[in-house]
């Protein structure tokens, strides 16, 4: 069952990413990126990270991508045109990305035995739940970094307001 | 049926490479920014897979912090994009070339 989940949502993620690459219009790219993020949320859940699956849906597909879609509509972005610079990028980009992929998958697949495999059923029948474990680490051991992130978010909000404000 | 962890890692490698390719190919500044988000998501998947492999919660905490930083980065980056659009009237990165000549 977990293999079926992995195949379905892995293929959906890859299809969404390829569609993201091929679409010319930014709004189509944004929508296919949302598909990738939702299927990644299912994969997080299948790895026993329920909290991150929920956070992925809420933060990424809910907040970040809505921000992107808003900016695309606010700036009235049309289809991108292919220029001379992008033709040069084709010849550098496709082989480079393929080389990265081949290297990474070679390393992962040759060491595949050492990584082991998932055991979702064992994970789901475990007594402790994922959110309790995360909250213990986050609110006890890592309380100071967690609070510092709130300052980071505040600085980001102030920076965004200052940058996007109309100059007098 | 269990799934080998290496399959998850290969899937993350696929997504990361597509992110790299679209970062280099796309000419629209918003889409370039979205491909950075795609690469961050791919790396998050490897973090979760390794956290599952070692039965450690720390990898998931790391993903949480990456999400927080990515959200902050998206807010600031989109504000910069709006500022660039206001001054240059374009979203094409080839036309933002003041420093080139």
């Amino acid at each position: 069952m977990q293999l079926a989940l992995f195949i379905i949502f892995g293929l959906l993620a890859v299809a969404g990413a390829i569609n993201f690459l091929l679409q010319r219009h930014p709004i189509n790219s944004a929508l296919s990126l949302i598909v990738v993020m939702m299927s990644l949320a299912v994969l997080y859940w299948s790895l026993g990270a329920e909290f991150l699956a929920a956070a992925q849906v809420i933060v990424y597909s809910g907040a970040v991508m809505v921000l992107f879609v808003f900016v695309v509509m606010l700036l009235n972005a049309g289809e991108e045109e292919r220029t001379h610079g992008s033709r040069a990028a084709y010849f550098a980009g496709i082989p480079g990305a393929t080389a990265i992929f081949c290297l990474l998958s070679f390393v992962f697949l040759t060491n595949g035995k050492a990584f082991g495999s998932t055991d979702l059923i064992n994970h789901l029948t475990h007594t402790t739940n994922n959110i309790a474990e995360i909250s213990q680490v986050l609110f006890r051991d890592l309380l100071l970094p967690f609070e510092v992130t709130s300052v980071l978010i505040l600085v980001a909000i102030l920076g965004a307001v200052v940058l996007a404000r109309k100059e007098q | 049926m269990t799934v080998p962890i290496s399959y998850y890692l290969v899937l993350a490698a696929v997504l990361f490479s597509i992110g790299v390719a679209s970062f280099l190919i796309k000419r629209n500044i918003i889409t370039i920014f979205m491909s950075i988000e795609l690469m961050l998501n791919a790396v998050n998947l490897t973090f979760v897979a390794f956290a599952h492999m070692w039965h450690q919660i720390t990898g998931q905490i790391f993903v949480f912090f990456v999400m927080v930083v990515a959200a902050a980065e998206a807010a600031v980056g989109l504000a910069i994009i709006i500022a660039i659009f206001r001054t240059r009237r374009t979203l094409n990165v080839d036309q933002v070339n003041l420093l080139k000549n």
Side-chain angles (χ1 to χ4, degrees):
Chain A
M1 178 227 170
Q2 200 188 350
L3 189 63
L5 264 184
F6 175 78
I7 290 173
I8 292 170
F9 286 97
L11 283 182
L12 196 59
V14 173
I18 290 175
N19 192 38
F20 168 79
L21 180 58
L22 295 180
Q23 290 289 342
R24 292 278 181 89
H25 203 282
I27 204 94
N28 296 343
S29 296
L31 292 180
S32 45
L33 196 55
I34 291 177
V35 172
V36 176
M37 284 165 174
M38 296 296 264
S39 35
L40 277 182
V42 178
L43 292 177
Y44 289 172
W45 176 81
S46 78
L47 284 167
E50 298 103 62
F51 173 73
L52 284 181
Q56 172 89 2
V57 172
I58 295 169
V59 175
Y60 266 123
S61 355
V64 173
M65 290 317 294
V66 166
L67 201 60
F68 271 101
V69 172
F70 271 2
V71 170
V72 170
M73 290 193 287
L74 177 71
L75 301 186
N76 199 13
E79 288 199 10
E80 59 181 342
E81 65 266 32
R82 294 279 188 261
T83 52
H84 187 70
S86 65
R87 272 201 297 280
Y90 264 110
F91 297 120
I94 301 278
T98 317
I100 291 174
F101 167 67
C102 291
L103 181 67
L104 285 175
S105 48
F106 174 73
V107 171
F108 291 148
L109 290 177
T110 46
N111 299 315
K113 280 278 185 291
F115 291 132
S117 58
T118 57
D119 49 345
L120 183 65
I121 305 302
N122 205 357
H123 217 280
L124 287 182
T125 51
H126 212 247
T127 45
T128 60
N129 78 36
N130 176 251
I131 296 174
E133 283 178 45
I134 282 191
S135 55
Q136 271 178 7
V137 177
L138 204 57
F139 296 130
R140 204 182 51 202
D141 305 341
L142 293 174
L143 184 61
L144 182 65
F146 180 70
E147 295 294 338
V148 170
T149 47
S150 63
V151 180
L152 175 78
I153 298 262
L154 183 67
V155 172
I157 294 170
L158 291 179
V161 169
V162 168
L163 282 170
R165 192 181 51 182
K166 260 203 174 63
E167 284 178 35
Q168 308 300 329
Chain B
M1 282 294 281
T2 58
V3 185
I5 292 285
S6 50
Y7 286 10
Y8 282 98
L9 299 177
V10 169
L11 174 65
V14 171
L15 292 181
F16 186 84
S17 321
I18 294 175
V20 170
S22 53
F23 182 86
L24 291 171
I25 288 172
K26 295 281 185 183
R27 294 291 103 188
N28 189 314
I29 194 164
I30 300 175
T31 348
I32 288 175
F33 204 54
M34 279 194 273
S35 50
I36 296 178
E37 299 290 329
L38 182 60
M39 285 191 271
L40 281 171
N41 268 285
V43 174
N44 280 352
L45 182 62
T46 61
F47 268 123
V48 177
F50 279 124
H52 185 94
M53 170 187 158
W54 292 107
H55 300 289
Q56 291 277 323
I57 207 76
T58 331
Q60 297 185 16
I61 301 288
F62 215 109
V63 174
F64 177 75
F65 282 113
V66 169
M67 273 184 192
V68 170
V69 173
E73 173 236 327
V76 175
L78 288 171
I80 291 175
I81 288 174
I82 291 176
I84 289 176
F85 185 75
R86 207 169 266 154
T87 53
R88 307 283 302 171
R89 287 283 140 203
T90 179
L91 286 173
N92 193 331
V93 284
D94 288 328
Q95 288 168 25
V96 186
N97 54 1
L98 266 180
L99 280 176
K100 201 172 177 181
N101 300 312

